[in-house]
Amino acid sequence: MEEQDVIQIWKRSSQKEEITIDAMALMKDFKQKMEFREDIVRKRDRKETFFAILGIFGFAILTARMWFSVPALGMLFIALTYCYYIYKLWSNRKSKYTENLFMSLKQQLENQKQFMINQAKLLNSVMYWALLPFFVGYMVVIWSVWDLDTVNFSSFISSFYPEKLKSKIVYTTVFLIAFIYNYWTNKKAVKINWEPLIKQIDMILDNLKHEEE
């Protein structure tokens, strides 16, 4: 073996060692960030599910109380939206991608990346599967009644129901602002929390690819 060949082998081994060290550092940093994000997702899903279940029972009771009325349709629509809301949250859980315990490191990272992509898509599309349906349901409830004597509202609901045009406009504006703000915070969460992690895992996968070469 010539001296030049030895030098080339040494250079390649040094580069591979450097790539390995870089990959390990990236993995450690990524693991810490990912565990933090996963903990936030778990807490979010539990909290959102709890309040969604309360909403389902509450609006289901109101729907039954006011059956065969236009407000009941809006309340039923809201209750069904809460059901779909729970389904969307739990159908994107990480456990769905980690059922196989004997996957290679590369496959584990690919599955982790898919989980993050799905979480980003979930937040990016929240307008269509949550906010817009909720808004439509609330608008049906708010704008369908102009005389409380014609509906079977409880005294509690009647005390704050917007019966007059001015009140309905105020309620609609407040709901609209709240939903727009919710949409903006979800889009912001994707850019701040998920997109950097997706880029980082791409770097790790790229390093692993170089190691295999």
Side-chain angles (χ1 to χ4, degrees):
M1 182 180 293
E2 296 183 4
E3 181 182 355
Q4 189 65 30
D5 294 330
V6 174
I7 292 173
Q8 290 299 322
I9 292 172
W10 180 82
K11 286 183 177 180
R12 285 198 297 269
S13 64
S14 298
Q15 290 171 353
K16 185 171 289 188
E17 183 179 353
E18 185 178 340
I19 290 171
T20 301
I21 293 172
D22 288 343
M24 289 176 63
L26 283 170
M27 279 289 292
K28 183 178 179 180
D29 182 58
F30 171 78
K31 187 173 182 293
Q32 291 175 342
K33 292 178 180 178
M34 195 65 221
E35 287 175 350
F36 176 71
R37 293 309 314 164
E38 287 174 358
D39 186 55
I40 290 177
V41 169
R42 284 191 294 269
K43 290 178 179 178
R44 178 205 68 188
D45 289 352
R46 287 195 293 265
K47 182 186 71 173
E48 297 288 344
T49 300
F50 172 74
F51 286 109
I53 291 173
L54 290 181
I56 291 168
F57 279 107
F59 282 104
I61 291 170
L62 291 173
T63 301
R65 180 187 176 93
M66 302 177 61
W67 198 240
F68 295 117
S69 69
V70 177
L73 291 176
M75 293 177 184
L76 179 61
F77 191 68
I78 293 171
L80 292 174
T81 301
Y82 273 122
C83 292
Y84 187 64
Y85 187 84
I86 294 174
Y87 164 76
K88 288 289 287 185
L89 290 179
W90 289 85
S91 63
N92 286 280
R93 299 283 288 179
K94 183 187 175 185
S95 58
K96 180 179 178 183
Y97 305 97
T98 56
E99 293 174 355
N100 188 348
L101 299 177
F102 302 100
M103 293 182 294
S104 64
L105 175 60
K106 182 180 178 181
Q107 187 60 53
Q108 291 179 49
L109 291 171
E110 291 284 1
N111 288 353
Q112 189 75 276
K113 179 182 176 180
Q114 187 60 51
F115 165 73
M116 293 187 294
I117 290 173
N118 284 3
Q119 286 294 319
K121 286 181 179 179
L122 187 74
L123 298 181
N124 272 326
S125 61
V126 70
M127 172 67 75
Y128 309 106
W129 61 267
L131 299 181
L132 191 59
F134 277 129
F135 186 75
V136 171
Y138 281 118
M139 291 305 98
V140 170
V141 175
I142 289 173
W143 288 90
S144 62
V145 178
W146 295 86
D147 184 1
L148 293 179
D149 294 332
T150 62
V151 293
N152 189 26
F153 277 151
S154 66
S155 58
F156 174 71
I157 295 178
S158 299
S159 65
F160 61 84
Y161 184 85
E163 188 176 4
K164 304 299 182 181
L165 176 61
K166 183 178 179 180
S167 299
K168 291 181 185 296
I169 293 174
V170 170
Y171 270 55
T172 301
T173 303
V174 170
F175 276 124
L176 188 59
I177 292 172
F179 287 138
I180 290 174
Y181 176 75
N182 197 308
Y183 175 72
W184 176 77
T185 54
N186 278 279
K187 297 284 284 187
K188 184 180 179 182
V190 172
K191 289 189 176 296
I192 294 176
N193 299 323
W194 294 113
E195 288 185 355
L197 283 175
I198 293 172
K199 289 179 181 178
Q200 192 169 10
I201 204 169
D202 281 336
M203 290 174 62
I204 296 170
L205 288 169
D206 187 56
N207 276 341
L208 290 176
K209 181 179 178 182
H210 284 300
E211 283 187 12
E212 293 173 355
E213 292 176 353

mmCIF file of all heavy atoms in Angstrom, residues 74-118:
data_model
loop_
_atom_site.group_PDB
_atom_site.id
_atom_site.type_symbol
_atom_site.label_atom_id
_atom_site.label_comp_id
_atom_site.label_asym_id
_atom_site.label_seq_id
_atom_site.Cartn_x
_atom_site.Cartn_y
_atom_site.Cartn_z
ATOM 1 N N GLY A 74 -77.202 24.014 15.867
ATOM 2 C CA GLY A 74 -75.882 24.601 16.090
ATOM 3 C C GLY A 74 -75.157 23.936 17.251
ATOM 4 O O GLY A 74 -73.962 23.658 17.177
ATOM 5 N N MET A 75 -75.887 23.656 18.337
ATOM 6 C CA MET A 75 -75.292 23.016 19.507
ATOM 7 C C MET A 75 -74.870 21.584 19.201
ATOM 8 O O MET A 75 -73.820 21.123 19.664
ATOM 9 C CB MET A 75 -76.285 23.043 20.672
ATOM 10 C CG MET A 75 -76.551 24.437 21.190
ATOM 11 S SD MET A 75 -77.797 24.464 22.496
ATOM 12 C CE MET A 75 -77.935 26.230 22.782
ATOM 13 N N LEU A 76 -75.683 20.871 18.431
ATOM 14 C CA LEU A 76 -75.326 19.514 18.031
ATOM 15 C C LEU A 76 -74.076 19.530 17.152
ATOM 16 O O LEU A 76 -73.186 18.681 17.304
ATOM 17 C CB LEU A 76 -76.488 18.864 17.269
ATOM 18 C CG LEU A 76 -76.257 17.441 16.760
ATOM 19 C CD1 LEU A 76 -75.984 16.488 17.917
ATOM 20 C CD2 LEU A 76 -77.456 16.960 15.938
ATOM 21 N N PHE A 77 -73.993 20.507 16.277
ATOM 22 C CA PHE A 77 -72.822 20.649 15.403
ATOM 23 C C PHE A 77 -71.565 20.918 16.231
ATOM 24 O O PHE A 77 -70.488 20.371 15.959
ATOM 25 C CB PHE A 77 -73.061 21.780 14.405
ATOM 26 C CG PHE A 77 -72.041 21.850 13.308
ATOM 27 C CD1 PHE A 77 -71.966 20.852 12.350
ATOM 28 C CD2 PHE A 77 -71.150 22.917 13.229
ATOM 29 C CE1 PHE A 77 -71.026 20.907 11.327
ATOM 30 C CE2 PHE A 77 -70.204 22.989 12.219
ATOM 31 C CZ PHE A 77 -70.155 21.979 11.268
ATOM 32 N N ILE A 78 -71.693 21.738 17.264
ATOM 33 C CA ILE A 78 -70.555 22.032 18.140
ATOM 34 C C ILE A 78 -70.123 20.776 18.893
ATOM 35 O O ILE A 78 -68.926 20.479 19.013
ATOM 36 C CB ILE A 78 -70.922 23.151 19.143
ATOM 37 C CG1 ILE A 78 -71.131 24.466 18.397
ATOM 38 C CG2 ILE A 78 -69.811 23.323 20.185
ATOM 39 C CD1 ILE A 78 -71.697 25.584 19.259
ATOM 40 N N ALA A 79 -71.105 20.010 19.410
ATOM 41 C CA ALA A 79 -70.790 18.779 20.144
ATOM 42 C C ALA A 79 -70.070 17.780 19.244
ATOM 43 O O ALA A 79 -69.096 17.134 19.663
ATOM 44 C CB ALA A 79 -72.070 18.165 20.700
ATOM 45 N N LEU A 80 -70.530 17.649 17.996
ATOM 46 C CA LEU A 80 -69.880 16.729 17.056
ATOM 47 C C LEU A 80 -68.473 17.217 16.690
ATOM 48 O O LEU A 80 -67.555 16.405 16.501
ATOM 49 C CB LEU A 80 -70.731 16.593 15.790
ATOM 50 C CG LEU A 80 -72.076 15.880 15.964
ATOM 51 C CD1 LEU A 80 -72.881 15.931 14.674
ATOM 52 C CD2 LEU A 80 -71.859 14.428 16.402
ATOM 53 N N THR A 81 -68.305 18.533 16.611
ATOM 54 C CA THR A 81 -66.977 19.094 16.342
ATOM 55 C C THR A 81 -66.022 18.776 17.476
ATOM 56 O O THR A 81 -64.847 18.461 17.248
ATOM 57 C CB THR A 81 -67.059 20.620 16.132
ATOM 58 O OG1 THR A 81 -67.933 20.904 15.034
ATOM 59 C CG2 THR A 81 -65.686 21.207 15.837
ATOM 60 N N TYR A 82 -66.513 18.820 18.716
ATOM 61 C CA TYR A 82 -65.682 18.432 19.869
ATOM 62 C C TYR A 82 -65.248 16.962 19.758
ATOM 63 O O TYR A 82 -64.107 16.621 20.087
ATOM 64 C CB TYR A 82 -66.445 18.642 21.172
ATOM 65 C CG TYR A 82 -66.322 20.030 21.758
ATOM 66 C CD1 TYR A 82 -67.441 20.811 22.006
ATOM 67 C CD2 TYR A 82 -65.074 20.557 22.074
ATOM 68 C CE1 TYR A 82 -67.327 22.084 22.547
ATOM 69 C CE2 TYR A 82 -64.951 21.832 22.618
ATOM 70 C CZ TYR A 82 -66.084 22.589 22.852
ATOM 71 O OH TYR A 82 -65.964 23.849 23.389
ATOM 72 N N CYS A 83 -66.157 16.102 19.315
ATOM 73 C CA CYS A 83 -65.825 14.683 19.132
ATOM 74 C C CYS A 83 -64.711 14.524 18.101
ATOM 75 O O CYS A 83 -63.750 13.769 18.319
ATOM 76 C CB CYS A 83 -67.062 13.897 18.685
ATOM 77 S SG CYS A 83 -68.364 13.756 19.927
ATOM 78 N N TYR A 84 -64.854 15.225 16.990
ATOM 79 C CA TYR A 84 -63.831 15.147 15.942
ATOM 80 C C TYR A 84 -62.524 15.754 16.424
ATOM 81 O O TYR A 84 -61.439 15.290 16.057
ATOM 82 C CB TYR A 84 -64.331 15.875 14.691
ATOM 83 C CG TYR A 84 -63.423 15.709 13.501
ATOM 84 C CD1 TYR A 84 -63.224 14.445 12.930
ATOM 85 C CD2 TYR A 84 -62.761 16.802 12.934
ATOM 86 C CE1 TYR A 84 -62.386 14.283 11.842
ATOM 87 C CE2 TYR A 84 -61.928 16.649 11.844
ATOM 88 C CZ TYR A 84 -61.742 15.385 11.306
ATOM 89 O OH TYR A 84 -60.912 15.219 10.226
ATOM 90 N N TYR A 85 -62.611 16.779 17.249
ATOM 91 C CA TYR A 85 -61.440 17.429 17.827
ATOM 92 C C TYR A 85 -60.612 16.431 18.638
ATOM 93 O O TYR A 85 -59.397 16.344 18.492
ATOM 94 C CB TYR A 85 -61.916 18.579 18.719
ATOM 95 C CG TYR A 85 -60.824 19.463 19.256
ATOM 96 C CD1 TYR A 85 -60.319 20.513 18.498
ATOM 97 C CD2 TYR A 85 -60.317 19.283 20.533
ATOM 98 C CE1 TYR A 85 -59.327 21.352 18.994
ATOM 99 C CE2 TYR A 85 -59.324 20.111 21.038
ATOM 100 C CZ TYR A 85 -58.835 21.143 20.266
ATOM 101 O OH TYR A 85 -57.849 21.953 20.761
ATOM 102 N N ILE A 86 -61.293 15.641 19.467
ATOM 103 C CA ILE A 86 -60.607 14.611 20.268
ATOM 104 C C ILE A 86 -59.962 13.577 19.363
ATOM 105 O O ILE A 86 -58.820 13.159 19.571
ATOM 106 C CB ILE A 86 -61.591 13.941 21.242
ATOM 107 C CG1 ILE A 86 -62.075 14.956 22.288
ATOM 108 C CG2 ILE A 86 -60.942 12.741 21.940
ATOM 109 C CD1 ILE A 86 -63.163 14.426 23.192
ATOM 110 N N TYR A 87 -60.706 13.156 18.336
ATOM 111 C CA TYR A 87 -60.175 12.163 17.397
ATOM 112 C C TYR A 87 -58.898 12.669 16.712
ATOM 113 O O TYR A 87 -57.904 11.935 16.605
ATOM 114 C CB TYR A 87 -61.228 11.834 16.339
ATOM 115 C CG TYR A 87 -60.662 11.137 15.134
ATOM 116 C CD1 TYR A 87 -60.320 9.784 15.186
ATOM 117 C CD2 TYR A 87 -60.455 11.829 13.933
ATOM 118 C CE1 TYR A 87 -59.776 9.140 14.085
ATOM 119 C CE2 TYR A 87 -59.916 11.198 12.827
ATOM 120 C CZ TYR A 87 -59.571 9.851 12.910
ATOM 121 O OH TYR A 87 -59.031 9.235 11.823
ATOM 122 N N LYS A 88 -58.891 13.936 16.276
ATOM 123 C CA LYS A 88 -57.722 14.489 15.589
ATOM 124 C C LYS A 88 -56.511 14.541 16.505
ATOM 125 O O LYS A 88 -55.384 14.235 16.091
ATOM 126 C CB LYS A 88 -58.044 15.895 15.063
ATOM 127 C CG LYS A 88 -58.988 15.920 13.890
ATOM 128 C CD LYS A 88 -58.344 15.404 12.625
ATOM 129 C CE LYS A 88 -57.353 16.376 12.045
ATOM 130 N NZ LYS A 88 -56.807 15.929 10.742
ATOM 131 N N LEU A 89 -56.729 14.904 17.771
ATOM 132 C CA LEU A 89 -55.617 14.976 18.710
ATOM 133 C C LEU A 89 -54.998 13.608 18.946
ATOM 134 O O LEU A 89 -53.779 13.437 18.871
ATOM 135 C CB LEU A 89 -56.086 15.571 20.047
ATOM 136 C CG LEU A 89 -56.452 17.059 20.064
ATOM 137 C CD1 LEU A 89 -56.922 17.460 21.461
ATOM 138 C CD2 LEU A 89 -55.278 17.927 19.639
ATOM 139 N N TRP A 90 -55.835 12.621 19.225
ATOM 140 C CA TRP A 90 -55.321 11.315 19.624
ATOM 141 C C TRP A 90 -54.902 10.447 18.447
ATOM 142 O O TRP A 90 -54.147 9.487 18.625
ATOM 143 C CB TRP A 90 -56.363 10.593 20.486
ATOM 144 C CG TRP A 90 -56.471 11.239 21.840
ATOM 145 C CD1 TRP A 90 -57.246 12.323 22.174
ATOM 146 C CD2 TRP A 90 -55.743 10.892 23.018
ATOM 147 N NE1 TRP A 90 -57.049 12.665 23.484
ATOM 148 C CE2 TRP A 90 -56.132 11.806 24.027
ATOM 149 C CE3 TRP A 90 -54.812 9.902 23.315
ATOM 150 C CZ2 TRP A 90 -55.615 11.744 25.320
ATOM 151 C CZ3 TRP A 90 -54.295 9.852 24.599
ATOM 152 C CH2 TRP A 90 -54.699 10.764 25.588
ATOM 153 N N SER A 91 -55.352 10.765 17.259
ATOM 154 C CA SER A 91 -54.914 9.996 16.088
ATOM 155 C C SER A 91 -53.512 10.391 15.641
ATOM 156 O O SER A 91 -52.916 9.743 14.785
ATOM 157 C CB SER A 91 -55.889 10.181 14.920
ATOM 158 O OG SER A 91 -55.912 11.528 14.497
ATOM 159 N N ASN A 92 -52.989 11.472 16.227
ATOM 160 C CA ASN A 92 -51.633 11.922 15.892
ATOM 161 C C ASN A 92 -50.666 11.725 17.044
ATOM 162 O O ASN A 92 -49.627 12.386 17.110
ATOM 163 C CB ASN A 92 -51.664 13.403 15.496
ATOM 164 C CG ASN A 92 -52.253 13.625 14.124
ATOM 165 O OD1 ASN A 92 -51.591 13.454 13.107
ATOM 166 N ND2 ASN A 92 -53.532 13.985 14.086
ATOM 167 N N ARG A 93 -50.990 10.819 17.959
ATOM 168 C CA ARG A 93 -50.116 10.535 19.096
ATOM 169 C C ARG A 93 -48.844 9.838 18.636
ATOM 170 O O ARG A 93 -48.828 9.110 17.641
ATOM 171 C CB ARG A 93 -50.836 9.646 20.108
ATOM 172 C CG ARG A 93 -52.079 10.259 20.701
ATOM 173 C CD ARG A 93 -51.763 11.291 21.748
ATOM 174 N NE ARG A 93 -51.264 10.654 22.961
ATOM 175 C CZ ARG A 93 -50.893 11.308 24.049
ATOM 176 N NH1 ARG A 93 -50.946 12.608 24.068
ATOM 177 N NH2 ARG A 93 -50.469 10.658 25.101
ATOM 178 N N LYS A 94 -47.763 10.012 19.381
ATOM 179 C CA LYS A 94 -46.476 9.422 19.018
ATOM 180 C C LYS A 94 -46.517 7.901 19.047
ATOM 181 O O LYS A 94 -45.858 7.233 18.254
ATOM 182 C CB LYS A 94 -45.388 9.921 19.965
ATOM 183 C CG LYS A 94 -44.008 9.386 19.588
ATOM 184 C CD LYS A 94 -42.970 9.749 20.621
ATOM 185 C CE LYS A 94 -41.639 9.107 20.279
ATOM 186 N NZ LYS A 94 -40.622 9.331 21.306
ATOM 187 N N SER A 95 -47.269 7.297 19.986
ATOM 188 C CA SER A 95 -47.299 5.845 20.146
ATOM 189 C C SER A 95 -47.690 5.144 18.850
ATOM 190 O O SER A 95 -47.343 3.998 18.616
ATOM 191 C CB SER A 95 -48.279 5.459 21.257
ATOM 192 O OG SER A 95 -49.581 5.945 20.965
ATOM 193 N N LYS A 96 -48.404 5.870 18.002
ATOM 194 C CA LYS A 96 -48.810 5.309 16.712
ATOM 195 C C LYS A 96 -47.601 4.983 15.845
ATOM 196 O O LYS A 96 -47.651 4.099 14.993
ATOM 197 C CB LYS A 96 -49.717 6.325 15.999
ATOM 198 C CG LYS A 96 -50.231 5.896 14.643
ATOM 199 C CD LYS A 96 -51.120 6.978 14.079
ATOM 200 C CE LYS A 96 -51.612 6.605 12.687
ATOM 201 N NZ LYS A 96 -52.428 7.686 12.087
ATOM 202 N N TYR A 97 -46.479 5.669 16.073
ATOM 203 C CA TYR A 97 -45.292 5.507 15.237
ATOM 204 C C TYR A 97 -44.177 4.737 15.938
ATOM 205 O O TYR A 97 -43.094 4.592 15.397
ATOM 206 C CB TYR A 97 -44.774 6.884 14.804
ATOM 207 C CG TYR A 97 -45.818 7.702 14.117
ATOM 208 C CD1 TYR A 97 -46.554 8.662 14.815
ATOM 209 C CD2 TYR A 97 -46.112 7.498 12.773
ATOM 210 C CE1 TYR A 97 -47.541 9.403 14.190
ATOM 211 C CE2 TYR A 97 -47.089 8.231 12.142
ATOM 212 C CZ TYR A 97 -47.808 9.181 12.854
ATOM 213 O OH TYR A 97 -48.781 9.904 12.239
ATOM 214 N N THR A 98 -44.411 4.268 17.153
ATOM 215 C CA THR A 98 -43.346 3.593 17.904
ATOM 216 C C THR A 98 -43.773 2.221 18.412
ATOM 217 O O THR A 98 -43.331 1.767 19.453
ATOM 218 C CB THR A 98 -42.914 4.467 19.100
ATOM 219 O OG1 THR A 98 -44.070 4.757 19.902
ATOM 220 C CG2 THR A 98 -42.291 5.761 18.642
ATOM 221 N N GLU A 99 -44.663 1.558 17.692
ATOM 222 C CA GLU A 99 -45.160 0.267 18.137
ATOM 223 C C GLU A 99 -44.111 -0.833 17.979
ATOM 224 O O GLU A 99 -44.053 -1.776 18.755
ATOM 225 C CB GLU A 99 -46.432 -0.099 17.356
ATOM 226 C CG GLU A 99 -47.610 0.841 17.677
ATOM 227 C CD GLU A 99 -48.808 0.574 16.796
ATOM 228 O OE1 GLU A 99 -48.681 -0.270 15.876
ATOM 229 O OE2 GLU A 99 -49.853 1.190 17.011
ATOM 230 N N ASN A 100 -43.259 -0.724 16.987
ATOM 231 C CA ASN A 100 -42.231 -1.722 16.733
ATOM 232 C C ASN A 100 -40.982 -1.386 17.540
ATOM 233 O O ASN A 100 -40.339 -0.363 17.324
ATOM 234 C CB ASN A 100 -41.894 -1.765 15.238
ATOM 235 C CG ASN A 100 -40.970 -2.911 14.896
ATOM 236 O OD1 ASN A 100 -40.394 -3.558 15.773
ATOM 237 N ND2 ASN A 100 -40.836 -3.175 13.606
ATOM 238 N N LEU A 101 -40.611 -2.252 18.481
ATOM 239 C CA LEU A 101 -39.476 -1.995 19.364
ATOM 240 C C LEU A 101 -38.136 -2.381 18.740
ATOM 241 O O LEU A 101 -37.090 -2.120 19.312
ATOM 242 C CB LEU A 101 -39.662 -2.751 20.684
ATOM 243 C CG LEU A 101 -40.898 -2.389 21.503
ATOM 244 C CD1 LEU A 101 -40.976 -3.283 22.738
ATOM 245 C CD2 LEU A 101 -40.875 -0.929 21.917
ATOM 246 N N PHE A 102 -38.167 -3.038 17.591
ATOM 247 C CA PHE A 102 -36.937 -3.562 16.997
ATOM 248 C C PHE A 102 -36.585 -2.839 15.699
ATOM 249 O O PHE A 102 -36.051 -3.433 14.769
ATOM 250 C CB PHE A 102 -37.082 -5.061 16.743
ATOM 251 C CG PHE A 102 -37.399 -5.835 18.000
ATOM 252 C CD1 PHE A 102 -38.695 -6.218 18.278
ATOM 253 C CD2 PHE A 102 -36.395 -6.144 18.916
ATOM 254 C CE1 PHE A 102 -38.988 -6.916 19.439
ATOM 255 C CE2 PHE A 102 -36.684 -6.833 20.077
ATOM 256 C CZ PHE A 102 -37.985 -7.220 20.349
ATOM 257 N N MET A 103 -36.866 -1.558 15.642
ATOM 258 C CA MET A 103 -36.548 -0.770 14.455
ATOM 259 C C MET A 103 -35.105 -0.272 14.532
ATOM 260 O O MET A 103 -34.564 -0.092 15.622
ATOM 261 C CB MET A 103 -37.495 0.426 14.345
ATOM 262 C CG MET A 103 -38.943 0.057 14.069
ATOM 263 S SD MET A 103 -39.981 1.536 13.883
ATOM 264 C CE MET A 103 -39.892 2.211 15.542
ATOM 265 N N SER A 104 -34.526 -0.046 13.386
ATOM 266 C CA SER A 104 -33.189 0.530 13.333
ATOM 267 C C SER A 104 -33.258 1.984 13.784
ATOM 268 O O SER A 104 -34.337 2.591 13.842
ATOM 269 C CB SER A 104 -32.649 0.470 11.906
ATOM 270 O OG SER A 104 -33.443 1.288 11.042
ATOM 271 N N LEU A 105 -32.093 2.554 14.112
ATOM 272 C CA LEU A 105 -32.036 3.951 14.541
ATOM 273 C C LEU A 105 -32.587 4.870 13.455
ATOM 274 O O LEU A 105 -33.338 5.811 13.742
ATOM 275 C CB LEU A 105 -30.590 4.333 14.873
ATOM 276 C CG LEU A 105 -30.349 5.806 15.232
ATOM 277 C CD1 LEU A 105 -31.156 6.205 16.458
ATOM 278 C CD2 LEU A 105 -28.864 6.064 15.451
ATOM 279 N N LYS A 106 -32.223 4.572 12.211
ATOM 280 C CA LYS A 106 -32.698 5.387 11.105
ATOM 281 C C LYS A 106 -34.217 5.346 11.007
ATOM 282 O O LYS A 106 -34.869 6.382 10.815
ATOM 283 C CB LYS A 106 -32.079 4.900 9.793
ATOM 284 C CG LYS A 106 -32.494 5.733 8.584
ATOM 285 C CD LYS A 106 -31.849 5.218 7.312
ATOM 286 C CE LYS A 106 -32.311 6.027 6.114
ATOM 287 N NZ LYS A 106 -31.716 5.525 4.841
ATOM 288 N N GLN A 107 -34.807 4.150 11.168
ATOM 289 C CA GLN A 107 -36.259 4.028 11.086
ATOM 290 C C GLN A 107 -36.948 4.735 12.249
ATOM 291 O O GLN A 107 -38.003 5.352 12.084
ATOM 292 C CB GLN A 107 -36.668 2.545 11.073
ATOM 293 C CG GLN A 107 -38.159 2.316 10.819
ATOM 294 C CD GLN A 107 -38.611 2.876 9.489
ATOM 295 O OE1 GLN A 107 -38.029 2.578 8.446
ATOM 296 N NE2 GLN A 107 -39.645 3.705 9.508
ATOM 297 N N GLN A 108 -36.333 4.657 13.428
ATOM 298 C CA GLN A 108 -36.885 5.367 14.585
ATOM 299 C C GLN A 108 -36.906 6.874 14.334
ATOM 300 O O GLN A 108 -37.879 7.552 14.665
ATOM 301 C CB GLN A 108 -36.058 5.060 15.830
ATOM 302 C CG GLN A 108 -36.183 3.628 16.341
ATOM 303 C CD GLN A 108 -35.321 3.397 17.566
ATOM 304 O OE1 GLN A 108 -35.348 4.171 18.506
ATOM 305 N NE2 GLN A 108 -34.524 2.334 17.545
ATOM 306 N N LEU A 109 -35.814 7.376 13.749
ATOM 307 C CA LEU A 109 -35.737 8.803 13.449
ATOM 308 C C LEU A 109 -36.741 9.196 12.367
ATOM 309 O O LEU A 109 -37.361 10.270 12.434
ATOM 310 C CB LEU A 109 -34.319 9.169 13.011
ATOM 311 C CG LEU A 109 -33.252 9.092 14.104
ATOM 312 C CD1 LEU A 109 -31.863 9.268 13.494
ATOM 313 C CD2 LEU A 109 -33.489 10.163 15.168
ATOM 314 N N GLU A 110 -36.902 8.333 11.361
ATOM 315 C CA GLU A 110 -37.884 8.590 10.309
ATOM 316 C C GLU A 110 -39.295 8.656 10.902
ATOM 317 O O GLU A 110 -40.111 9.517 10.526
ATOM 318 C CB GLU A 110 -37.815 7.503 9.231
ATOM 319 C CG GLU A 110 -36.559 7.527 8.386
ATOM 320 C CD GLU A 110 -36.558 8.644 7.351
ATOM 321 O OE1 GLU A 110 -37.536 9.420 7.307
ATOM 322 O OE2 GLU A 110 -35.568 8.732 6.596
ATOM 323 N N ASN A 111 -39.586 7.733 11.828
ATOM 324 C CA ASN A 111 -40.907 7.730 12.470
ATOM 325 C C ASN A 111 -41.096 8.963 13.350
ATOM 326 O O ASN A 111 -42.193 9.530 13.416
ATOM 327 C CB ASN A 111 -41.078 6.463 13.307
ATOM 328 C CG ASN A 111 -41.264 5.237 12.452
ATOM 329 O OD1 ASN A 111 -41.400 5.336 11.234
ATOM 330 N ND2 ASN A 111 -41.268 4.069 13.064
ATOM 331 N N GLN A 112 -40.019 9.346 14.025
ATOM 332 C CA GLN A 112 -40.086 10.551 14.845
ATOM 333 C C GLN A 112 -40.350 11.774 13.972
ATOM 334 O O GLN A 112 -41.127 12.665 14.333
ATOM 335 C CB GLN A 112 -38.751 10.715 15.593
ATOM 336 C CG GLN A 112 -38.745 11.795 16.645
ATOM 337 C CD GLN A 112 -39.495 11.413 17.890
ATOM 338 O OE1 GLN A 112 -40.705 11.567 17.943
ATOM 339 N NE2 GLN A 112 -38.789 10.915 18.889
ATOM 340 N N LYS A 113 -39.703 11.799 12.811
ATOM 341 C CA LYS A 113 -39.906 12.901 11.880
ATOM 342 C C LYS A 113 -41.358 12.931 11.394
ATOM 343 O O LYS A 113 -41.965 14.013 11.292
ATOM 344 C CB LYS A 113 -38.956 12.753 10.691
ATOM 345 C CG LYS A 113 -39.120 13.853 9.644
ATOM 346 C CD LYS A 113 -38.189 13.629 8.459
ATOM 347 C CE LYS A 113 -38.431 14.661 7.377
ATOM 348 N NZ LYS A 113 -37.543 14.469 6.203
ATOM 349 N N GLN A 114 -41.917 11.760 11.116
ATOM 350 C CA GLN A 114 -43.306 11.697 10.662
ATOM 351 C C GLN A 114 -44.262 12.208 11.737
ATOM 352 O O GLN A 114 -45.238 12.904 11.443
ATOM 353 C CB GLN A 114 -43.671 10.252 10.282
ATOM 354 C CG GLN A 114 -45.046 10.115 9.638
ATOM 355 C CD GLN A 114 -45.169 10.923 8.361
ATOM 356 O OE1 GLN A 114 -44.327 10.823 7.471
ATOM 357 N NE2 GLN A 114 -46.195 11.753 8.266
ATOM 358 N N PHE A 115 -43.971 11.873 12.984
ATOM 359 C CA PHE A 115 -44.775 12.373 14.100
ATOM 360 C C PHE A 115 -44.742 13.900 14.146
ATOM 361 O O PHE A 115 -45.779 14.552 14.305
ATOM 362 C CB PHE A 115 -44.247 11.794 15.418
ATOM 363 C CG PHE A 115 -44.746 12.501 16.648
ATOM 364 C CD1 PHE A 115 -46.061 12.355 17.075
ATOM 365 C CD2 PHE A 115 -43.897 13.317 17.387
ATOM 366 C CE1 PHE A 115 -46.520 13.022 18.201
ATOM 367 C CE2 PHE A 115 -44.346 13.978 18.510
ATOM 368 C CZ PHE A 115 -45.659 13.829 18.925
ATOM 369 N N MET A 116 -43.554 14.483 13.968
ATOM 370 C CA MET A 116 -43.413 15.929 14.017
ATOM 371 C C MET A 116 -44.106 16.597 12.831
ATOM 372 O O MET A 116 -44.756 17.636 12.987
ATOM 373 C CB MET A 116 -41.934 16.310 14.043
ATOM 374 C CG MET A 116 -41.229 15.894 15.320
ATOM 375 S SD MET A 116 -39.538 16.522 15.415
ATOM 376 C CE MET A 116 -38.754 15.626 14.072
ATOM 377 N N ILE A 117 -43.986 15.992 11.666
ATOM 378 C CA ILE A 117 -44.657 16.530 10.475
ATOM 379 C C ILE A 117 -46.168 16.525 10.682
ATOM 380 O O ILE A 117 -46.868 17.495 10.339
ATOM 381 C CB ILE A 117 -44.278 15.733 9.225
ATOM 382 C CG1 ILE A 117 -42.818 16.000 8.846
ATOM 383 C CG2 ILE A 117 -45.190 16.074 8.051
ATOM 384 C CD1 ILE A 117 -42.299 15.128 7.717
ATOM 385 N N ASN A 118 -46.688 15.438 11.254
ATOM 386 C CA ASN A 118 -48.132 15.350 11.491
ATOM 387 C C ASN A 118 -48.599 16.374 12.513
ATOM 388 O O ASN A 118 -49.691 16.941 12.388
ATOM 389 C CB ASN A 118 -48.503 13.942 11.945
ATOM 390 C CG ASN A 118 -48.514 12.957 10.800
ATOM 391 O OD1 ASN A 118 -48.185 13.306 9.677
ATOM 392 N ND2 ASN A 118 -48.889 11.727 11.069
#
